[in-house]
Amino acid sequence: MSYFITFEGPEGSGKSTVIKHVHEALSKTCPVITTREPGGIAISEKIRDLLLDEGNVMDGRTEALLFAASRRQHLVERVIPALNEKKIVLCDRFVDSSLAYQGMAREIGFDEVMSINQFAIDNHMPDLTIYLKLAPEVGLRRISDNRRENNRLDQETIDFHKKVVSGYNELSMLYPERIKVVDASQSVEKVVSDTLTIIEEYINFRGEYL
Ligand code: TMP
């Protein structure tokens, strides 16, 4: 059995740190790969550069289409082959990012953004999604304190980032079976242990590996 697990949340919610710890823990008992969107493979990293370049002024629908194009190539080249090899795929962002950022915050609409993504993902939805929930003010403060790379989307207004969080909150209510919420304002140790509990329960329930 293979598992496609995605991690979602606003800027500064700690996805990459949590994924690193989850990867370490799961890889003791099962084959795991970690990847990210937009990016993860050469073509998608090039699209990422276009998308995140602060010098680009981009139409919202162009942005949504580029994220979907990057997603398609990454899915075909990286995710599907790993799932076919019965691996657990941990992916930093996937379609819910497009729904929250482009659908809600750019105000294109969930349905419109989902329709171009249906074409891109061809029904390959994640088995499980961990949503690291955090107030946008806290996340943005964290990234400015840590001097992490600042990109075109980080530069958006606080209202934009509030809409991203409302988008995620709405998605977690629409798809409670798939999207599990973790309070990302807690210590890293607690966020990681809450996340691992959810993943291990899910995998045990499906009856493999652990
Ligand atoms: P990252 O900061 O997690 O590396 O993601 C890059 C930025 O791209 C982040 O601001 C979220 C944004 N993004 C979207 O707007 N839509 C998407 O579909 C994805 C995958 C990311």
Side-chain angles (χ1 to χ4, degrees), residues 8-64:
E8 295 283 355
E11 316 299 324
S13 54
K15 289 180 285 87
S16 34
T17 308
V18 172
I19 293 173
K20 189 168 126 282
H21 288 288
V22 169
H23 184 123
E24 269 168 31
L26 293 180
S27 60
K28 290 182 186 143
T29 47
C30 17
V32 188
I33 68 153
T34 289
T35 189
R36 71 158 179 183
E37 277 204 0
I41 49 141
I43 291 175
S44 302
E45 288 291 342
K46 286 185 180 163
I47 301 176
R48 177 185 177 94
D49 291 343
L50 269 178
L51 278 162
L52 301 186
D53 183 343
E54 289 174 56
N56 286 341
V57 179
M58 197 178 290
D59 168 74
R61 287 181 181 231
T62 306
E63 183 180 281

CSV table of all heavy atoms in Angstrom, one decimal, residues 8-64:
chain,number,residue,atom,x,y,z
A,8,GLU,N,-0.1,21.3,4.5
A,8,GLU,CA,-0.6,22.6,4.1
A,8,GLU,C,-0.6,23.6,5.2
A,8,GLU,O,-0.6,23.1,6.4
A,8,GLU,CB,-2.1,22.4,3.6
A,8,GLU,CG,-2.2,21.6,2.3
A,8,GLU,CD,-1.8,22.3,1.0
A,8,GLU,OE1,-1.5,23.5,1.1
A,8,GLU,OE2,-1.8,21.7,0.0
A,9,GLY,N,-0.6,24.8,4.9
A,9,GLY,CA,-0.7,25.9,5.9
A,9,GLY,C,-0.1,27.2,5.4
A,9,GLY,O,0.4,27.2,4.3
A,10,PRO,N,-0.4,28.3,6.2
A,10,PRO,CA,0.1,29.6,5.7
A,10,PRO,C,1.6,29.7,5.9
A,10,PRO,O,2.3,28.8,6.4
A,10,PRO,CB,-0.7,30.5,6.7
A,10,PRO,CG,-0.9,29.7,7.9
A,10,PRO,CD,-1.0,28.3,7.5
A,11,GLU,N,2.1,30.9,5.4
A,11,GLU,CA,3.5,31.2,5.5
A,11,GLU,C,3.9,31.0,7.0
A,11,GLU,O,3.2,31.5,7.9
A,11,GLU,CB,3.8,32.6,5.1
A,11,GLU,CG,3.1,33.1,3.8
A,11,GLU,CD,3.5,32.3,2.6
A,11,GLU,OE1,4.6,31.9,2.5
A,11,GLU,OE2,2.6,32.1,1.8
A,12,GLY,N,5.1,30.4,7.2
A,12,GLY,CA,5.6,30.4,8.6
A,12,GLY,C,5.0,29.4,9.5
A,12,GLY,O,5.2,29.4,10.7
A,13,SER,N,4.2,28.5,8.9
A,13,SER,CA,3.5,27.5,9.8
A,13,SER,C,4.4,26.3,10.2
A,13,SER,O,4.0,25.5,11.0
A,13,SER,CB,2.2,27.0,9.1
A,13,SER,OG,2.4,26.5,7.8
A,14,GLY,N,5.6,26.3,9.6
A,14,GLY,CA,6.6,25.2,10.0
A,14,GLY,C,6.5,23.9,9.3
A,14,GLY,O,7.0,22.9,9.7
A,15,LYS,N,5.9,24.0,8.1
A,15,LYS,CA,5.7,22.7,7.3
A,15,LYS,C,7.0,22.0,7.1
A,15,LYS,O,7.1,20.8,7.3
A,15,LYS,CB,5.1,23.0,5.9
A,15,LYS,CG,3.6,23.4,6.0
A,15,LYS,CD,3.0,23.7,4.6
A,15,LYS,CE,3.5,25.0,4.0
A,15,LYS,NZ,4.7,25.0,3.3
A,16,SER,N,8.1,22.7,6.6
A,16,SER,CA,9.3,22.0,6.2
A,16,SER,C,9.9,21.3,7.5
A,16,SER,O,10.4,20.2,7.4
A,16,SER,CB,10.3,22.8,5.4
A,16,SER,OG,10.2,24.2,5.9
A,17,THR,N,9.9,22.0,8.6
A,17,THR,CA,10.5,21.4,9.8
A,17,THR,C,9.7,20.2,10.2
A,17,THR,O,10.3,19.1,10.6
A,17,THR,CB,10.4,22.5,11.0
A,17,THR,OG1,11.0,23.7,10.5
A,17,THR,CG2,11.2,22.0,12.2
A,18,VAL,N,8.4,20.3,10.2
A,18,VAL,CA,7.5,19.2,10.6
A,18,VAL,C,7.8,18.0,9.6
A,18,VAL,O,7.9,16.8,10.1
A,18,VAL,CB,6.1,19.6,10.6
A,18,VAL,CG1,5.1,18.4,10.9
A,18,VAL,CG2,5.8,20.6,11.7
A,19,ILE,N,7.8,18.3,8.3
A,19,ILE,CA,8.0,17.2,7.4
A,19,ILE,C,9.3,16.5,7.6
A,19,ILE,O,9.4,15.3,7.5
A,19,ILE,CB,7.9,17.8,5.9
A,19,ILE,CG1,6.5,18.3,5.6
A,19,ILE,CG2,8.3,16.7,4.9
A,19,ILE,CD1,6.3,19.0,4.3
A,20,LYS,N,10.4,17.3,7.9
A,20,LYS,CA,11.7,16.7,8.1
A,20,LYS,C,11.6,15.7,9.3
A,20,LYS,O,12.1,14.5,9.2
A,20,LYS,CB,12.7,17.8,8.5
A,20,LYS,CG,14.1,17.4,8.5
A,20,LYS,CD,15.0,18.6,8.5
A,20,LYS,CE,15.9,18.6,9.7
A,20,LYS,NZ,15.8,18.9,11.0
A,21,HIS,N,11.0,16.1,10.4
A,21,HIS,CA,10.9,15.2,11.6
A,21,HIS,C,10.0,13.9,11.2
A,21,HIS,O,10.3,12.8,11.7
A,21,HIS,CB,10.3,15.9,12.8
A,21,HIS,CG,11.3,16.9,13.3
A,21,HIS,ND1,12.4,16.5,14.0
A,21,HIS,CD2,11.3,18.2,13.3
A,21,HIS,CE1,13.1,17.6,14.4
A,21,HIS,NE2,12.5,18.6,14.0
A,22,VAL,N,8.9,14.2,10.5
A,22,VAL,CA,8.0,13.1,10.2
A,22,VAL,C,8.7,12.1,9.3
A,22,VAL,O,8.6,10.9,9.4
A,22,VAL,CB,6.7,13.6,9.5
A,22,VAL,CG1,5.9,12.5,8.9
A,22,VAL,CG2,5.9,14.4,10.5
A,23,HIS,N,9.5,12.6,8.3
A,23,HIS,CA,10.3,11.8,7.4
A,23,HIS,C,11.2,10.9,8.2
A,23,HIS,O,11.3,9.7,8.0
A,23,HIS,CB,11.0,12.6,6.4
A,23,HIS,CG,11.8,11.8,5.4
A,23,HIS,ND1,11.6,12.0,4.0
A,23,HIS,CD2,12.7,10.8,5.5
A,23,HIS,CE1,12.4,11.2,3.3
A,23,HIS,NE2,13.1,10.5,4.2
A,24,GLU,N,11.9,11.5,9.2
A,24,GLU,CA,12.9,10.7,10.0
A,24,GLU,C,12.2,9.6,10.7
A,24,GLU,O,12.7,8.5,10.8
A,24,GLU,CB,13.6,11.7,11.0
A,24,GLU,CG,14.8,12.3,10.5
A,24,GLU,CD,15.3,13.4,11.4
A,24,GLU,OE1,15.1,13.4,12.6
A,24,GLU,OE2,15.9,14.4,10.9
A,25,ALA,N,11.1,10.0,11.3
A,25,ALA,CA,10.3,9.0,12.1
A,25,ALA,C,9.8,7.8,11.3
A,25,ALA,O,10.0,6.6,11.6
A,25,ALA,CB,9.2,9.6,12.9
A,26,LEU,N,9.1,8.2,10.2
A,26,LEU,CA,8.5,7.1,9.4
A,26,LEU,C,9.5,6.3,8.6
A,26,LEU,O,9.3,5.1,8.4
A,26,LEU,CB,7.6,7.7,8.3
A,26,LEU,CG,6.3,8.4,8.8
A,26,LEU,CD1,5.5,9.0,7.7
A,26,LEU,CD2,5.4,7.5,9.7
A,27,SER,N,10.7,6.9,8.3
A,27,SER,CA,11.6,6.1,7.5
A,27,SER,C,12.3,5.0,8.3
A,27,SER,O,12.9,4.1,7.7
A,27,SER,CB,12.7,7.0,6.8
A,27,SER,OG,13.3,7.7,7.8
A,28,LYS,N,12.1,5.0,9.6
A,28,LYS,CA,12.6,3.8,10.4
A,28,LYS,C,11.8,2.5,10.0
A,28,LYS,O,12.4,1.4,10.2
A,28,LYS,CB,12.4,4.1,11.9
A,28,LYS,CG,13.3,5.2,12.3
A,28,LYS,CD,13.2,5.5,13.8
A,28,LYS,CE,14.1,6.7,14.2
A,28,LYS,NZ,13.5,7.5,15.2
A,29,THR,N,10.6,2.7,9.6
A,29,THR,CA,9.8,1.5,9.3
A,29,THR,C,9.3,1.3,7.9
A,29,THR,O,8.8,0.3,7.5
A,29,THR,CB,8.6,1.4,10.3
A,29,THR,OG1,7.9,2.6,10.3
A,29,THR,CG2,8.9,1.0,11.7
A,30,CYS,N,9.3,2.4,7.1
A,30,CYS,CA,8.8,2.3,5.8
A,30,CYS,C,9.5,3.2,4.8
A,30,CYS,O,10.2,4.1,5.2
A,30,CYS,CB,7.3,2.7,5.7
A,30,CYS,SG,6.6,3.6,7.1
A,31,PRO,N,9.4,2.8,3.5
A,31,PRO,CA,10.1,3.7,2.5
A,31,PRO,C,9.3,5.0,2.3
A,31,PRO,O,8.1,5.0,2.1
A,31,PRO,CB,10.0,2.8,1.2
A,31,PRO,CG,8.9,1.8,1.4
A,31,PRO,CD,8.7,1.7,2.9
A,32,VAL,N,10.1,6.1,2.4
A,32,VAL,CA,9.4,7.4,2.4
A,32,VAL,C,10.2,8.4,1.4
A,32,VAL,O,11.4,8.3,1.4
A,32,VAL,CB,9.5,8.1,3.8
A,32,VAL,CG1,8.7,9.4,3.8
A,32,VAL,CG2,9.0,7.2,4.9
A,33,ILE,N,9.5,9.2,0.7
A,33,ILE,CA,10.2,10.3,0.0
A,33,ILE,C,9.5,11.6,0.4
A,33,ILE,O,8.3,11.7,0.7
A,33,ILE,CB,10.2,10.2,-1.5
A,33,ILE,CG1,8.8,10.4,-2.1
A,33,ILE,CG2,10.9,9.0,-2.0
A,33,ILE,CD1,8.9,11.0,-3.6
A,34,THR,N,10.3,12.7,0.4
A,34,THR,CA,9.8,14.0,0.7
A,34,THR,C,10.0,14.9,-0.5
A,34,THR,O,11.0,14.8,-1.2
A,34,THR,CB,10.6,14.7,1.9
A,34,THR,OG1,10.2,14.0,3.1
A,34,THR,CG2,10.2,16.1,2.0
A,35,THR,N,8.9,15.6,-0.9
A,35,THR,CA,9.0,16.5,-2.0
A,35,THR,C,8.2,17.8,-1.8
A,35,THR,O,7.6,17.9,-0.7
A,35,THR,CB,8.6,15.8,-3.3
A,35,THR,OG1,8.9,16.6,-4.5
A,35,THR,CG2,7.2,15.3,-3.3
A,36,ARG,N,8.2,18.7,-2.7
A,36,ARG,CA,7.5,20.0,-2.5
A,36,ARG,C,7.0,20.6,-3.7
A,36,ARG,O,7.4,20.3,-4.8
A,36,ARG,CB,8.5,21.0,-1.8
A,36,ARG,CG,9.5,21.5,-2.8
A,36,ARG,CD,10.1,22.8,-2.4
A,36,ARG,NE,11.1,23.3,-3.3
A,36,ARG,CZ,11.8,24.5,-3.1
A,36,ARG,NH1,11.6,25.2,-2.1
A,36,ARG,NH2,12.6,24.9,-4.0
A,37,GLU,N,6.0,21.4,-3.5
A,37,GLU,CA,5.4,22.2,-4.6
A,37,GLU,C,5.4,23.7,-4.2
A,37,GLU,O,5.3,24.0,-3.1
A,37,GLU,CB,3.9,21.8,-4.7
A,37,GLU,CG,3.6,20.6,-5.5
A,37,GLU,CD,2.2,20.7,-6.1
A,37,GLU,OE1,1.5,21.7,-5.8
A,37,GLU,OE2,1.8,19.8,-6.8
A,38,PRO,N,5.5,24.6,-5.2
A,38,PRO,CA,5.9,24.3,-6.6
A,38,PRO,C,7.3,23.9,-6.6
A,38,PRO,O,8.1,24.5,-5.9
A,38,PRO,CB,5.6,25.6,-7.3
A,38,PRO,CG,5.7,26.7,-6.3
A,38,PRO,CD,5.3,26.0,-5.0
A,39,GLY,N,7.7,22.9,-7.4
A,39,GLY,CA,9.1,22.5,-7.5
A,39,GLY,C,9.3,21.0,-7.4
A,39,GLY,O,8.4,20.3,-7.9
A,40,GLY,N,10.3,20.5,-6.8
A,40,GLY,CA,10.6,19.1,-6.6
A,40,GLY,C,11.2,18.4,-7.8
A,40,GLY,O,11.9,17.4,-7.6
A,41,ILE,N,11.1,18.9,-9.0
A,41,ILE,CA,11.8,18.4,-10.2
A,41,ILE,C,12.1,19.6,-11.1
A,41,ILE,O,11.6,20.7,-10.9
A,41,ILE,CB,10.8,17.5,-11.0
A,41,ILE,CG1,9.5,18.1,-11.2
A,41,ILE,CG2,10.7,16.1,-10.3
A,41,ILE,CD1,8.9,17.8,-12.5
A,42,ALA,N,13.0,19.4,-12.1
A,42,ALA,CA,13.6,20.5,-12.8
A,42,ALA,C,12.6,21.4,-13.4
A,42,ALA,O,12.6,22.7,-13.2
A,42,ALA,CB,14.5,19.9,-13.9
A,43,ILE,N,11.6,20.9,-14.2
A,43,ILE,CA,10.6,21.8,-14.9
A,43,ILE,C,9.8,22.6,-13.8
A,43,ILE,O,9.6,23.8,-14.0
A,43,ILE,CB,9.7,21.0,-15.8
A,43,ILE,CG1,10.4,20.4,-17.0
A,43,ILE,CG2,8.5,21.9,-16.3
A,43,ILE,CD1,9.6,19.5,-17.9
A,44,SER,N,9.4,21.9,-12.8
A,44,SER,CA,8.6,22.6,-11.8
A,44,SER,C,9.4,23.6,-11.0
A,44,SER,O,8.8,24.6,-10.5
A,44,SER,CB,7.9,21.6,-10.9
A,44,SER,OG,7.2,20.7,-11.7
A,45,GLU,N,10.7,23.4,-10.8
A,45,GLU,CA,11.5,24.4,-10.1
A,45,GLU,C,11.6,25.6,-11.0
A,45,GLU,O,11.7,26.7,-10.5
A,45,GLU,CB,12.9,23.8,-9.8
A,45,GLU,CG,13.0,22.8,-8.7
A,45,GLU,CD,12.7,23.3,-7.3
A,45,GLU,OE1,12.7,24.6,-7.0
A,45,GLU,OE2,12.3,22.5,-6.4
A,46,LYS,N,11.7,25.4,-12.3
A,46,LYS,CA,11.8,26.6,-13.2
A,46,LYS,C,10.4,27.4,-13.2
A,46,LYS,O,10.4,28.6,-13.1
A,46,LYS,CB,12.0,26.2,-14.7
A,46,LYS,CG,13.4,25.7,-14.9
A,46,LYS,CD,13.7,25.4,-16.3
A,46,LYS,CE,15.2,25.0,-16.5
A,46,LYS,NZ,15.5,24.3,-17.7
A,47,ILE,N,9.3,26.7,-13.1
A,47,ILE,CA,8.0,27.3,-13.0
A,47,ILE,C,8.0,28.1,-11.6
A,47,ILE,O,7.5,29.2,-11.5
A,47,ILE,CB,6.8,26.4,-13.2
A,47,ILE,CG1,6.9,25.7,-14.6
A,47,ILE,CG2,5.5,27.1,-13.0
A,47,ILE,CD1,5.8,24.6,-14.8
A,48,ARG,N,8.5,27.4,-10.6
A,48,ARG,CA,8.6,28.0,-9.3
A,48,ARG,C,9.3,29.4,-9.3
A,48,ARG,O,8.8,30.4,-8.8
A,48,ARG,CB,9.3,27.1,-8.3
A,48,ARG,CG,9.4,27.7,-6.9
A,48,ARG,CD,10.2,26.8,-5.9
A,48,ARG,NE,10.4,27.5,-4.7
A,48,ARG,CZ,9.6,27.2,-3.6
A,48,ARG,NH1,8.6,26.4,-3.7
A,48,ARG,NH2,9.8,27.9,-2.5
A,49,ASP,N,10.4,29.4,-10.0
A,49,ASP,CA,11.2,30.7,-10.1
A,49,ASP,C,10.3,31.8,-10.7
A,49,ASP,O,10.3,32.9,-10.3
A,49,ASP,CB,12.5,30.5,-10.9
A,49,ASP,CG,13.5,29.6,-10.2
A,49,ASP,OD1,13.3,29.5,-9.0
A,49,ASP,OD2,14.4,29.1,-10.9
A,50,LEU,N,9.6,31.4,-11.8
A,50,LEU,CA,8.7,32.4,-12.5
A,50,LEU,C,7.6,32.9,-11.5
A,50,LEU,O,7.3,34.1,-11.4
A,50,LEU,CB,7.9,31.7,-13.6
A,50,LEU,CG,8.5,31.7,-15.0
A,50,LEU,CD1,7.5,30.9,-15.9
A,50,LEU,CD2,8.6,33.1,-15.5
A,51,LEU,N,7.0,31.9,-10.8
A,51,LEU,CA,5.9,32.3,-9.9
A,51,LEU,C,6.3,33.1,-8.7
A,51,LEU,O,5.6,34.0,-8.2
A,51,LEU,CB,5.3,31.0,-9.3
A,51,LEU,CG,4.3,30.3,-10.3
A,51,LEU,CD1,4.1,28.8,-9.9
A,51,LEU,CD2,3.0,31.0,-10.2
A,52,LEU,N,7.5,32.9,-8.2
A,52,LEU,CA,7.9,33.5,-6.9
A,52,LEU,C,8.8,34.7,-7.1
A,52,LEU,O,9.1,35.4,-6.2
A,52,LEU,CB,8.6,32.5,-6.0
A,52,LEU,CG,7.7,31.3,-5.6
A,52,LEU,CD1,8.4,30.4,-4.5
A,52,LEU,CD2,6.3,31.7,-5.1
A,53,ASP,N,9.2,35.0,-8.4
A,53,ASP,CA,10.1,36.2,-8.6
A,53,ASP,C,9.3,37.5,-8.3
A,53,ASP,O,8.3,37.8,-8.9
A,53,ASP,CB,10.4,36.1,-10.1
A,53,ASP,CG,11.4,37.2,-10.5
A,53,ASP,OD1,11.5,38.2,-9.7
A,53,ASP,OD2,12.0,37.1,-11.6
A,54,GLU,N,9.9,38.2,-7.3
A,54,GLU,CA,9.3,39.4,-6.9
A,54,GLU,C,9.2,40.5,-8.0
A,54,GLU,O,8.3,41.4,-7.9
A,54,GLU,CB,10.1,40.1,-5.7
A,54,GLU,CG,10.0,39.3,-4.4
A,54,GLU,CD,10.9,39.8,-3.4
A,54,GLU,OE1,10.8,41.0,-3.1
A,54,GLU,OE2,11.7,39.1,-2.9
A,55,GLY,N,10.0,40.3,-9.1
A,55,GLY,CA,9.9,41.3,-10.2
A,55,GLY,C,8.8,41.0,-11.1
A,55,GLY,O,8.5,41.9,-12.0
A,56,ASN,N,8.1,39.9,-11.0
A,56,ASN,CA,7.0,39.6,-11.9
A,56,ASN,C,5.6,40.1,-11.4
A,56,ASN,O,5.2,39.9,-10.3
A,56,ASN,CB,6.8,38.1,-12.1
A,56,ASN,CG,7.9,37.5,-13.0
A,56,ASN,OD1,8.6,38.3,-13.7
A,56,ASN,ND2,8.1,36.2,-12.9
A,57,VAL,N,4.9,40.9,-12.3
A,57,VAL,CA,3.6,41.3,-12.0
A,57,VAL,C,2.7,40.3,-12.8
A,57,VAL,O,2.7,40.3,-14.0
A,57,VAL,CB,3.3,42.7,-12.5
A,57,VAL,CG1,1.9,43.1,-12.2
A,57,VAL,CG2,4.3,43.7,-11.8
A,58,MET,N,1.9,39.5,-12.0
A,58,MET,CA,1.2,38.4,-12.7
A,58,MET,C,-0.3,38.4,-12.5
A,58,MET,O,-0.7,38.6,-11.4
A,58,MET,CB,1.8,37.1,-12.2
A,58,MET,CG,1.5,35.9,-13.1
A,58,MET,SD,2.3,34.4,-12.4
A,58,MET,CE,4.0,34.7,-12.7
A,59,ASP,N,-1.0,38.1,-13.6
A,59,ASP,CA,-2.5,38.0,-13.5
A,59,ASP,C,-2.8,36.8,-12.6
A,59,ASP,O,-2.1,35.7,-12.7
A,59,ASP,CB,-3.0,37.8,-14.9
A,59,ASP,CG,-4.4,37.4,-14.9
A,59,ASP,OD1,-5.3,38.2,-14.7
A,59,ASP,OD2,-4.7,36.2,-15.2
A,60,GLY,N,-3.9,36.9,-11.8
A,60,GLY,CA,-4.2,35.8,-10.9
A,60,GLY,C,-4.5,34.4,-11.6
A,60,GLY,O,-4.1,33.4,-11.1
A,61,ARG,N,-5.2,34.5,-12.8
A,61,ARG,CA,-5.5,33.2,-13.5
A,61,ARG,C,-4.2,32.6,-14.1
A,61,ARG,O,-4.0,31.4,-14.1
A,61,ARG,CB,-6.5,33.4,-14.5
A,61,ARG,CG,-7.9,33.6,-13.9
A,61,ARG,CD,-9.0,33.8,-14.8
A,61,ARG,NE,-10.2,34.0,-14.1
A,61,ARG,CZ,-11.4,33.3,-14.3
A,61,ARG,NH1,-11.4,32.4,-15.3
A,61,ARG,NH2,-12.4,33.5,-13.6
A,62,THR,N,-3.3,33.5,-14.5
A,62,THR,CA,-2.0,33.0,-15.1
A,62,THR,C,-1.3,32.3,-13.9
A,62,THR,O,-0.8,31.2,-14.1
A,62,THR,CB,-1.1,34.2,-15.5
A,62,THR,OG1,-1.9,34.9,-16.5
A,62,THR,CG2,0.2,33.7,-16.2
A,63,GLU,N,-1.3,32.9,-12.7
A,63,GLU,CA,-0.7,32.3,-11.5
A,63,GLU,C,-1.3,30.9,-11.2
A,63,GLU,O,-0.6,29.9,-11.0
A,63,GLU,CB,-0.9,33.3,-10.4
A,63,GLU,CG,-0.2,32.9,-9.1
A,63,GLU,CD,-0.5,33.9,-8.0
A,63,GLU,OE1,0.1,35.0,-8.0
A,63,GLU,OE2,-1.4,33.7,-7.2
A,64,ALA,N,-2.6,30.8,-11.3
A,64,ALA,CA,-3.3,29.6,-11.0
A,64,ALA,C,-2.9,28.5,-12.0
A,64,ALA,O,-2.7,27.3,-11.6
A,64,ALA,CB,-4.8,29.8,-10.9
